[in-house]
Amino acid sequence: MRRIVSSQRLARVLIALAAAVSLASSTLMARAQEPAETRLVEGQVVNGTQGGGSTSGLAVILHQDTGTAHEDLEATTDSEGRFRFEGVEYDKETLYGLSVAYQGREYGVDVDSISDPLTPRALMVYDT
């Protein structure tokens, strides 16, 4: 008789364990299916040299560094030097930066507040 009671107890424990695993996996699946927060990163490449050259048609790079991976996105400036990155996945643990090459030199700036999508970014360049 004792053996039957032990088997019943074991069956209940296994059923409870299976229910817990099922609940945990469904919670993880729901989190994995949530869309990532996205941000708009925009700004303008500005030539700080008085009477300096045009900043149109430049490749602006948005750098994203998670510590274990690095990804770059590229946008081209318009006729007034403006650039725009739409739908940038936001993660508070990721470091963001912008860079541009102008007249053979690299210019860059850290983006500290990608969490604030309303702040345009300015990238200053100078004639060599």
Side-chain angles (χ1 to χ4, degrees):
M1 185 76 165
R2 186 158 169 74
R3 181 176 258 175
I4 294 172
V5 172
S6 295
S7 296
Q8 288 174 347
R9 180 182 278 167
L10 179 61
R12 282 188 216 140
V13 168
L14 289 175
I15 290 170
L17 182 60
V21 168
S22 175
L23 178 63
S25 66
S26 66
T27 301
L28 289 174
M29 291 288 288
R31 285 186 185 163
Q33 293 173 355
E34 291 177 11
E37 279 188 65
T38 61
R39 297 288 193 267
L40 168 67
V41 178
E42 61 183 346
Q44 185 174 17
V45 177
V46 178
N47 191 331
T49 303
Q50 188 173 359
S54 171
T55 58
S56 70
L58 299 175
V60 177
I61 309 298
L62 174 65
H63 307 278
Q64 303 170 85
D65 192 347
T66 65
T68 58
H70 185 91
E71 183 178 353
D72 292 336
L73 302 175
E74 184 176 318
T76 303
T77 58
D78 66 11
S79 61
E80 296 179 13
R82 293 183 301 236
F83 59 87
R84 180 180 188 102
F85 296 93
E86 294 183 24
V88 176
E89 289 190 14
Y90 171 68
D91 179 355
K92 65 182 180 179
E93 303 298 320
T94 299
L95 300 175
Y96 299 89
L98 293 166
S99 68
V100 64
Y102 180 75
Q103 294 187 352
R105 295 187 183 246
E106 294 286 328
Y107 296 88
V109 62
D110 290 336
V111 179
D112 295 327
S113 60
I114 193 172
S115 60
D116 178 7
L118 302 176
T119 306
R121 282 37 178 199
L123 262 170
M124 298 296 294
V125 298
Y126 300 90
D127 286 355
T128 54

